[in-house]
Amino acid sequence: MRTRRLILEAAASVFDEFGYEAATIGEVVARAGVTRGAVYFHFASKRELAQGVVEEQFVQDVIPERACKLQEFVDTGMVVAYLMPRDPLLSAGARLSLGQDIHGDLGGGAIPGWIDRLEQLLIAARERGELLPQVVPADTAWLVTAAWTGVQIQSQKLSGRADLERRVAGLFRHVMPTVAVPGVLAALEMDAGRGARVAAEVSAARAAVGAREGSDVEGSDAEGEGVGAER
């Protein structure tokens, strides 16, 4: 699994830099520091490798669960905006998803996955009474994903994504009044720094889990040594 992740990270940097057509397995092998056989053990073709890069962004849920599902909805867009310039997997996933030359091969890339994720959050928000009555979760998820994608493309073209977080925050400030009931809308955090704060929260939580797991392993080792000494 570590080797597979290493290959995917290397492939993401190659696809993000060169695009799908110009990317080569040889360059992925060089950047990953593995053998060509290792790459083909996990991925039978460049297309499968690209599909793996696209799908990897959905392996881990990076948004903490909130009492307010519309805050999770906003946080999803804001965290991705924060991570996009920093995470080659997300950046490459966007480039592969929008590349016209491979649209048929990848079936829309990451876009259907993001639409589905946002729709599920909106459905949960509706069950909690957070949505205005006219909101249709499937339609809103589709439109917000399309708008977010457009913002990302324009930000990349005009500023190299330097203003992406600010622009995505502006998108949510324009959209959410048509989605959220007034009481929920007033409590939503939609400022440009929201993505960075949530990402830091996730990193701290993962570090705490890692520390606990390490402590458990050390405790198990010590217990094993004690049993061995008694014998």
Side-chain angles (χ1 to χ4, degrees):
M1 290 182 66
R2 286 193 297 270
T3 301
R4 185 179 187 278
R5 175 72 183 191
L6 186 66
I7 292 168
L8 284 173
E9 290 175 350
S13 69
V14 173
F15 286 130
D16 197 31
E17 183 175 343
F18 297 106
Y20 180 80
E21 287 298 329
T24 66
I25 295 295
E27 184 64 27
V28 173
V29 168
R31 294 195 185 189
V34 299
T35 65
R36 187 176 291 267
V39 173
Y40 283 116
F41 176 81
H42 292 281
F43 305 98
S45 64
K46 185 168 75 169
R47 182 212 173 272
E48 283 193 13
L49 191 53
Q51 188 70 50
V53 169
V54 168
E55 293 174 354
E56 186 68 12
Q57 59 196 282
F58 298 109
V59 171
Q60 295 182 346
D61 193 353
V62 298
I63 307 301
E65 186 172 355
R66 311 288 185 192
C68 176
K69 289 300 174 182
L70 284 185
Q71 186 65 67
E72 287 185 48
F73 181 84
V74 171
D75 287 352
T76 298
M78 293 306 305
V79 169
V80 175
Y82 171 76
L83 293 177
M84 182 74 73
R86 299 167 173 85
D87 185 346
L89 279 165
L90 281 173
S91 185
R95 180 164 183 169
L96 290 169
S97 299
L98 299 172
Q100 294 181 353
D101 52 339
I102 58 169
H103 173 74
D105 279 348
L106 296 184
I111 293 172
W114 288 117
I115 293 174
D116 181 68
R117 178 166 292 189
L118 293 184
E119 182 181 354
Q120 296 308 311
L121 287 172
L122 289 170
I123 290 172
R126 182 178 61 189
E127 292 171 352
R128 299 188 184 198
E130 298 174 12
L131 301 187
L132 292 170
Q134 73 272 15
V135 175
V136 178
D139 292 345
T140 300
W142 195 99
L143 288 169
V144 169
T145 302
W148 196 105
T149 300
V151 168
Q152 188 274 139
I153 293 171
Q154 192 149 305
S155 174
Q156 183 180 27
K157 294 291 186 183
L158 298 180
S159 73
R161 296 193 183 120
D163 65 348
L164 181 57
E165 294 168 78
R166 179 168 63 87
R167 297 300 184 183
V168 171
L171 169 67
F172 280 117
R173 287 196 297 271
H174 278 77
V175 169
M176 296 313 291
T178 69
V179 174
V181 297
V184 171
L185 178 65
L188 291 178
E189 294 187 32
M190 298 181 285
D191 60 282
R194 176 67 182 177
R197 294 196 301 273
V198 176
E201 178 185 347
V202 171
S203 295
R206 287 178 178 168
V209 170
R212 287 197 299 270
E213 290 176 349
S215 177
D216 290 343
V217 169
E218 291 176 2
S220 297
D221 290 344
E223 183 178 347
E225 290 173 0
V227 171
E230 290 175 3
R231 291 178 180 173

